[in-house]
């Protein structure tokens, strides 16, 4: 993907998340599809430091990088959510749910949504 195209997709994802609360990976996939972005592949995003906590799968490394860049830039933030949010979107991962952050022996799914970054008030 050309740098300019990637930037357009990244901007579209950011604008969608800024105007909607609790955006799922499924909703981001719909943005990718609408923009003609080839995001599908066999990679998984795992929680850093927790090899058996899967956040999402079926994307390319470049697609995960778009979301990762937005988090790194503090434009969006991930928040844990209920599996029912994903079931409402019609898609879920085939793993047991990670009920807490823990070093599991087998893969678990930690459902998350994205929201616009907000500074916590102290």
């Amino acid at each position: 993907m050309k740098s300019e195209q990637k930037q357009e997709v990244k901007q579209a994802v950011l604008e969608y998340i800024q105007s909607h609360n609790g955006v799922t990976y499924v909703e981001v996939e719909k943005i990718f599809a609408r923009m003609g972005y080839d995001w599908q592949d066999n990679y998984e995003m795992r929680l850093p430091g927790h090899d058996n906590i899967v956040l999402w799968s079926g994307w390319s490394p470049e697609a995960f990088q778009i979301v990762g860049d937005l988090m790194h830039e503090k434009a969006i933030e991930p928040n844990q959510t209920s599996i029912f949010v994903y079931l409402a979107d019609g898609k879920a991962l085939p793993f047991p749910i990670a009920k807490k952050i823990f070093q599991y022996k087998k893969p678990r799914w930690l459902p998350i949504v994205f929201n616009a970054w907000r500074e916590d008030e102290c």
Side-chain angles (χ1 to χ4, degrees):
M1 171 185 267
K2 294 178 186 175
S3 177
E4 182 178 310
Q5 291 173 315
K6 181 180 177 183
Q7 199 58 35
E8 287 176 14
V9 171
K10 182 177 166 183
Q11 186 62 35
V13 170
L14 176 60
E15 289 173 5
Y16 185 86
I17 293 171
Q18 288 175 330
S19 63
H20 296 80
N21 289 325
V23 176
T24 65
Y25 277 106
V26 178
E27 291 173 275
V28 176
E29 288 176 357
K30 290 176 183 176
I31 296 167
F32 289 162
R34 187 181 73 238
M35 297 191 74
Y37 176 57
D38 183 18
W39 51 270
Q40 294 177 321
D41 206 335
N42 294 323
Y43 289 88
E44 293 179 336
M45 174 62 70
R46 301 205 176 217
L47 186 66
H50 297 82
D51 292 341
N52 279 323
I53 296 183
V54 180
L55 301 176
W56 198 243
S57 67
W59 285 19
S60 68
E62 295 81 14
F64 280 122
Q65 185 180 7
I66 289 171
V67 173
D69 286 351
L70 289 169
M71 286 189 288
H72 180 74
E73 294 164 7
K74 295 187 177 181
I76 65 173
E77 61 183 2
N79 300 105
Q80 189 172 353
T81 193
S82 165
I83 185 176
F84 296 109
V85 173
Y86 277 86
L87 293 177
D89 278 351
K91 195 170 181 181
L93 296 185
F95 302 114
I97 301 298
K99 302 210 187 273
K100 60 183 177 177
I101 305 302
F102 181 77
Q103 294 294 346
Y104 294 99
K105 291 182 181 180
K106 294 184 180 182
R108 302 282 180 127
W109 177 34
L110 181 66
I112 62 169
V113 292
F114 300 102
N115 291 296
W117 182 271
R118 54 185 163 72
E119 293 291 330
D120 290 338
E121 297 179 12
C122 298

